[in-house]
């Protein structure tokens, strides 16, 4: 892949190797999704792994949407 930009390479690649929190896989309303945890019981939708086709057109399941889930208790 070639990237043409007038920005310095250090700015373009800044944060590329930073550690990220592991994603949570959650099944809700028949959709298997990956969430980035934000707070206990709240996550930001990263992607749908497997879902019915109509879920892909539903704004509730678009990437970046906030999903409320119940965290499992030990």
């Amino acid at each position: 892949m070639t990237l043409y930009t007038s920005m310095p390479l250090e700015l373009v690649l800044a944060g590329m190797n930073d550690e990220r929190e592991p994603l949570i896989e959650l099944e809700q309303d028949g959709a298997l999704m990956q969430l980035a945890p934000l707070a206990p019981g709240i996550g930001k939708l990263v992607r749908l792994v497997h879902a019915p086709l109509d879920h892909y057109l539903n704004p509730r399941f678009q990437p970046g949407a906030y999903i409320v889930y119940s965290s499992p208790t030990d």
Side-chain angles (χ1 to χ4, degrees):
M1 179 174 98
T2 305
L3 177 64
Y4 296 99
T5 179
S6 59
M7 293 176 59
L9 187 61
E10 294 80 26
L11 287 177
V12 173
L13 299 178
M16 185 172 156
N17 294 326
D18 291 348
E19 291 290 323
R20 296 183 185 145
E21 277 193 60
L23 299 177
I24 298 170
E25 284 198 356
L26 172 72
E27 186 165 351
Q28 189 177 44
D29 296 332
L32 180 62
M33 54 188 95
Q34 287 184 335
L35 304 175
L38 298 176
I42 300 174
K44 184 189 256 184
L45 182 63
V46 175
R47 73 182 187 115
L48 288 176
V49 177
H50 176 71
L53 293 178
D54 59 333
H55 280 41
Y56 290 92
L57 298 175
N58 189 339
R60 198 174 118 210
F61 295 105
Q62 69 186 8
Y66 296 111
I67 305 291
V68 177
Y69 61 95
S70 59
S71 53
T73 58
D74 294 13

